[in-house]
Amino acid sequence: MLIPVILSGGSGTRLWPLSRRFFPKQLMPILGGRETLIQTTVSRFAEESDIAAPIVVTGEPYRFMVASQLQECGVTPSAIILEPFGRNTAPAVTVATLIALREHEDPALLVLPADHYIGDTKAFLDAVKVGQELSAQGLLVTFGVVPNHAETGYGYIRKHPEPVAHVPNAYPVAEFVEKPDVATAEAYLRDGTYLWNSGMFLFRASAVLQELETFVPEIVTACRQALAGARPDLDFLRLSETDFAACPADSFDYAVMEKTDKAAVVPLSCGWSDIGSWSALYDAREKDAHNNVCVGDVLAEDCSGSYIHATNRLVAGLGLKNMVIVETRDAVFAAPRDRVQEVKHLVDLLNKAARVEAQSHCKVFRPWGHYEAIDPGLRYQVKRIVVYPGQTLSLQKHYHRAEHWVIVRGTAWVRRGDEELLLTEDQSVYIPLGTVHRLHNPGKVNLELIEIQTGSYLGEDDIVRFDDLYGRRDTDAMPSRGTKSR
């Protein structure tokens, strides 16, 4: 049995302003079409009868988006593990391994970051089959991408010149090396024995656990305790926060792969990219006749070699050469393509200035749907709210604001104090300050409404929950532009 382990953490700030701390790149359809990166990752196994349902490891802020997106693409994971905070990949792999061994008899685990792009699924699955042969011998397999240019943004794996016995196209790992400078990367490309480190792995659960216990026993101990104290929460398994806090942070590469004598590498040519920058996304997308990638409502005149991304309005470019322009509702990013890695410096500056644009979008996703700030002002705020069919918001009240709701599509069931109201398109309701209220969509289509908030304070922490179907707390929120946690 082969179980994919999907690692869906990371803040994704290298693709700011499209990707933010609370809306990372793996949860966005950044490659065109409707599928997000995590949906693309799990969907490639949908028709493989010998591959089991995935184990997904994610962070607290992303849990509802992950669950919703997996449901949208028809994937029911065997577990969605919630890390209370990030501890890098070694603890994530350890927890997934312990769960797999608890539920199955020593399965093979295929560890995949959710935010990577694989262009050729068949070539990738062929490499996975080679990895399964190696894992049956007790080896820990990594996949090394055959480089097509001198890349300084990846670590490298040097393969042994002689292949593993009886397994073609597989080699013992000679060494892992850090990200090189340009001259070194060019030398690696000429050498031919160096591969990009993809961060993807395959091994038997018992084999990797043995190596984890040998090299990082403190991680295994902390993860066992965090799992023993875990509790189910809707579709999730929530690790013990106290026990997981004692777990050291370390990457799986450093913790195990660079120390073990059981590491093997399978060379991989499948159009892989970790989409680690705007230039990498440009490389992964189809180009027009002038070598541009244009997404959204874009007018490009006399432009070449540029990535232009419009989210909410027309973006017009004139005479742009090798540039990246990314427009969102609340921010615009512009830089030469060869300097886009420096966007992390801009995000650092935004964080130091406590700018919410580094954290979240105007559009915020919730388990019941999403809402978007349209017009925040002094003592008022206008929002667009979408509630999915059958979903229900918290039973709640606010101390500092009143709300007016106007239904523009669908049907709304509203509780207001002791009243119950059924509203349809063009109808409205007023929720006075301090009134207990609730909103539910009883229909078969999305409920859409415009909300006007008025009051002395419009922050999202002005909420008292009396009942919530999704197990959220009053503090279970993310920063946004005066919006609240519903």
Side-chain angles (χ1 to χ4, degrees):
M1 175 183 292
L2 178 64
I3 302 176
V5 175
I6 310 299
L7 306 183
S8 184
S11 62
T13 54
R14 289 182 292 179
L15 291 185
W16 185 87
L18 196 64
S19 181
R20 314 277 176 100
R21 178 184 173 192
F22 290 108
F23 200 176
K25 60 181 177 177
Q26 65 267 25
L27 302 177
M28 307 187 78
I30 62 175
L31 291 171
R34 298 183 60 186
E35 273 199 338
T36 65
L37 281 177
I38 191 172
Q39 288 175 323
T40 301
T41 299
V42 299
S43 295
R44 71 179 72 256
F45 305 114
E47 298 181 2
E48 302 297 320
S49 59
D50 57 341
I51 298 180
I55 296 172
V56 179
V57 185
T58 191
E60 181 84 11
Y62 319 130
R63 64 194 188 280
F64 294 123
M65 284 185 284
V66 167
S68 174
Q69 291 186 13
L70 294 178
Q71 184 179 33
E72 284 179 10
C73 63
V75 173
T76 302
S78 60
I80 302 178
I81 305 164
L82 293 185
E83 296 180 312
F85 22 72
R87 284 292 185 263
N88 215 318
T89 53
V93 170
T94 302
V95 171
T97 300
L98 293 171
I99 288 179
L101 285 170
R102 186 174 68 181
E103 303 295 333
H104 305 280
E105 186 177 347
D106 197 17
L109 304 178
L110 174 62
V111 178
L112 302 172
D115 56 357
H116 289 190
Y117 169 70
I118 293 173
D120 188 339
T121 296
K122 182 181 182 304
F124 173 70
L125 292 176
D126 287 344
V128 167
K129 291 177 182 178
V130 176
Q132 286 181 275
E133 293 184 54
L134 297 169
S135 69
Q137 300 178 23
L139 297 176
L140 276 57
V141 180
T142 185
F143 296 91
V145 177
V146 178
N148 54 20
H149 64 274
E151 175 61 55
T152 61
Y154 301 143
Y156 282 71
I157 301 168
R158 183 168 65 86
K159 65 181 182 178
H160 194 278
E162 296 298 324
V164 176
H166 309 299
V167 182
N169 199 34
Y171 302 83
V173 171
E175 66 173 330
F176 289 85
V177 294
E178 296 296 332
K179 298 176 182 178
D181 57 27
V182 174
T184 305
E186 291 173 346
Y188 289 167
L189 186 64
R190 292 192 299 269
D191 183 280
T193 62
Y194 288 85
L195 307 167
W196 292 338
N197 187 352
S198 71
M200 302 186 293
F201 310 98
L202 196 158
F203 32 64
R204 306 292 294 191
S206 60
V208 71
L209 184 59
Q210 180 178 334
E211 298 301 276
L212 286 162
E213 288 176 330
T214 297
F215 298 115
V216 284
E218 65 280 8
I219 289 181
V220 178
T221 297
C223 289
R224 286 189 191 276
Q225 293 172 344
L227 193 54
R231 60 182 177 87
D233 181 1
L234 299 176
D235 297 326
F236 315 107
L237 183 64
R238 190 183 293 274
L239 298 177
S240 165
E241 184 171 340
T242 302
D243 293 314
F244 199 67
C247 184
D250 204 353
S251 73
F252 184 72
D253 288 87
Y254 290 138
V256 173
M257 295 303 291
E258 294 190 9
K259 299 174 183 176
T260 183
D261 60 0
K262 299 178 181 178
V265 61
V266 176
L268 182 62
S269 295
C270 64
W272 172 90
S273 172
D274 72 347
I275 312 295
S277 68
W278 285 113
S279 57
L281 183 57
Y282 168 84
D283 291 338
R285 298 292 300 267
E286 290 188 13
K287 318 295 189 297
D288 65 15
H290 302 285
N291 226 24
N292 297 310
V293 174
C294 296
V295 181
D297 192 4
V298 173
L299 175 63
E301 177 65 21
D302 190 29
C303 297
S304 63
S306 295
Y307 182 95
I308 309 174
H309 189 120
T311 302
N312 293 282
R313 72 203 92 177
L314 169 67
V315 174
L318 176 63
L320 300 176
K321 310 296 180 186
N322 301 321
M323 294 290 292
V324 169
I325 310 291
V326 182
E327 174 272 335
T328 68
R329 181 179 293 277
D330 57 348
V332 176
F333 170 64
R337 246 179 56 215
D338 60 0
R339 295 190 62 185
V340 292
Q341 294 282 5
E342 298 175 46
V343 70
K344 292 182 286 185
H345 176 63
L346 290 180
V347 175
D348 288 342
L349 293 176
L350 291 170
N351 283 324
K352 289 177 182 177
R355 295 290 300 251
V356 73
E357 290 89 347
Q359 303 289 321
S360 62
H361 292 274
C362 295
K363 188 173 184 179
V364 179
F365 285 82
R366 287 289 185 255
W368 46 261
H370 55 83
Y371 60 85
E372 185 173 5
I374 301 172
D375 183 16
L378 183 62
R379 294 183 62 88
Y380 78 90
Q381 179 172 219
V382 182
K383 299 195 309 184
R384 180 186 297 111
I385 297 175
V386 175
V387 183
Y388 300 145
Q391 299 303 309
T392 304
L393 279 65
S394 303
L395 181 65
Q396 58 186 263
K397 71 174 182 180
H398 314 292
Y399 287 116
H400 301 285
R401 68 168 169 266
E403 297 176 347
H404 303 253
W405 298 346
V406 180
I407 312 303
V408 297
R409 182 172 185 257
T411 302
W413 176 91
V414 179
R415 173 177 168 180
R416 181 179 63 180
D418 294 330
E419 298 178 88
E420 293 186 4
L421 308 171
L422 193 66
L423 305 177
T424 56
E425 293 180 11
D426 296 328
Q427 295 184 315
S428 63
V429 63
Y430 171 61
I431 311 293
L433 182 151
T435 300
V436 175
H437 60 280
R438 181 167 232 166
L439 177 64
H440 169 67
N441 179 0
K444 302 295 185 183
V445 300
N446 284 348
L447 164 64
E448 300 180 19
L449 62 140
I450 300 299
E451 176 182 86
I452 304 171
Q453 302 176 359
T454 58
S456 59
Y457 178 73
L458 305 175
E460 64 177 319
D461 53 346
D462 177 24
I463 181 171
V464 178
R465 283 196 177 97
F466 299 98
D467 179 56
D468 183 70
L469 302 180
Y470 313 105
R472 296 172 297 168
R473 303 157 293 182
D474 292 350
T475 56
D476 186 14
M478 62 185 68
S480 55
R481 293 146 188 79
T483 52
K484 69 183 180 180
S485 173
R486 290 178 173 268

